[in-house]
Amino acid sequence: MILSRRPDLERFLARPDPGIRAAVIYGRDLGVVRERAAQLANQVTEDPDDPFNVALLTEGDLAGDDARLEGELAAQSLMGGRRLVRLRLGGERAASEKLAVEALSRLLAGELNPDAFLLVEAGALGRDSTLRKAAEKAPACAVIPCYEDEVGDVARMAREALAKDGVGLSAEALALFVGRLPHERGVARREIERLALFLGPGSGVTAGPKDLEAFLGVEPEASLAGAASDAFGGRLAEAQAGLRRAALEGLSGPGAVRALGMHLGKLRRTLTLARNGAGLQEAAKASGVFWKDEREFLRQARSWSLETLDGVQGDILAADRACKTARAPDVLITERLALQIAAKARRIGL
């Protein structure tokens, strides 16, 4: 059963057909995939975080253990109630998709726990995907394709989320705000939550374009964010130019060091998630990487390792201490830090 029309999808997520025993939710926008998977999980089981009734697996869990997925689907609930098995696929291991197809077939054939529900969350699945084909042919499996939000979808989501917090935007302010948002659902939701906090939850404010000027200006400075990315990407000249622009704009040395530290933090979180089985692109999104910066960030993430980042961490802490020392030459300290980071990036192949 393919659910691509919004009314059909909303009805299903609110009250799933009891005859459906599995679901495959997929799409490029992993924020939408995760959101709809969470909605469905809440309907399938009373507590999606219950470790006795719910199992959450990634591709990393299946690597080297081909029987893990079917074993979880065959297991009986220890506390009563329906058992939920969630599988998150990053699309980087074809073997994982094959295991998912086999487990889906056996579950729907009645060979595993009849009270188990399989929920697969995946990235973009092409028409040639064996998992997509198998799921679409199975009457007891719901297939939910997720597409990137259109402008109207983002506007509606913003209106509804802000209304729950007792605040709102005028039509002009909403258009201005939505125009600054990416269409990736997870990132957009975080920005909407940040706006609600800015306006004051429960204040009843309906903000206009002028009211948003301060909020829209509270963005990471392009010169600093770009300089940090350039440094970790091995582009020293561009990094130093960005730092100098930031200095002319009145941004302090500690702020520049902080930007470099934030970039390192995103790389560290992304690599940690990837080491635990998440797909690299999925991990980058979860780490808050802006969609326009994703390609360059992934290039860096494929070269840096957690071990090489540990060496940079010490340099950043030392620079931060130096910048906070009286009469320290902030610009020189941050440029030297960028030089150290860019040099290490070049040595690892960037």
Side-chain angles (χ1 to χ4, degrees), residues 28-46:
R28 293 186 182 278
D29 190 337
L30 290 178
V32 181
V33 172
R34 296 286 181 263
E35 188 170 299
R36 288 176 177 165
Q39 288 178 269
L40 182 55
N42 280 321
Q43 297 299 323
V44 172
T45 182
E46 292 184 2

Side-chain angles (χ1 to χ4, degrees), residues 4-27:
S4 55
R5 295 178 63 250
R6 182 182 295 275
D8 296 336
L9 175 59
E10 291 179 350
R11 279 195 295 271
F12 175 78
L13 292 178
R15 184 175 295 179
D17 184 333
I20 298 297
R21 300 179 54 207
V24 175
I25 306 178
Y26 70 93

Side-chain angles (χ1 to χ4, degrees), residues 119-198:
L119 174 55
V120 181
E121 305 166 38
L125 297 178
R127 294 183 180 277
D128 59 343
S129 164
T130 55
L131 175 59
R132 178 175 165 181
K133 288 179 179 178
E136 290 178 347
K137 290 179 181 178
C141 180
V143 180
I144 303 175
C146 299
Y147 306 104
E148 290 186 346
D149 288 321
E150 300 295 335
V151 173
D153 297 322
V154 178
R156 179 172 53 254
M157 179 174 67
R159 278 197 306 269
E160 293 173 354
L162 292 173
K164 289 180 180 179
D165 282 314
V167 293
L169 297 175
S170 69
E172 295 83 358
L174 181 63
L176 176 63
F177 176 63
V178 170
R180 294 282 293 270
L181 288 178
H183 290 180
E184 202 281 314
R185 178 73 67 91
V187 179
R189 277 210 180 275
R190 287 195 292 273
E191 286 301 296
I192 294 168
E193 291 168 2
R194 195 163 69 89
L195 176 60
L197 290 173
F198 175 79

Side-chain angles (χ1 to χ4, degrees), residues 49-67:
D49 297 318
D50 182 355
F52 297 103
N53 279 348
V54 180
L56 176 59
L57 305 177
T58 66
E59 286 183 314
D61 296 316
L62 304 187
D65 189 355
D66 292 354

Side-chain angles (χ1 to χ4, degrees), residues 239-311:
Q240 288 183 325
L243 291 173
R244 288 168 185 166
R245 283 196 304 273
L248 292 173
E249 295 164 6
L251 298 176
S252 65
V257 174
R258 188 161 51 250
L260 289 161
M262 288 175 62
H263 194 85
L264 181 144
K266 288 181 180 180
L267 282 169
R268 182 185 294 281
R269 174 170 169 74
T270 297
L271 293 176
T272 300
L273 290 172
R275 180 173 286 187
N276 291 332
L280 198 58
Q281 186 176 34
E282 176 187 357
K285 289 182 182 296
S287 301
V289 176
F290 190 48
W291 63 278
K292 288 185 178 179
D293 303 328
E294 189 176 276
R295 178 177 296 181
E296 169 59 20
F297 185 87
L298 291 176
R299 184 183 77 92
Q300 296 176 19
R302 293 186 182 100
S303 295
W304 286 96
S305 67
L306 289 173
E307 291 72 22
T308 51
L309 288 174
D310 285 341

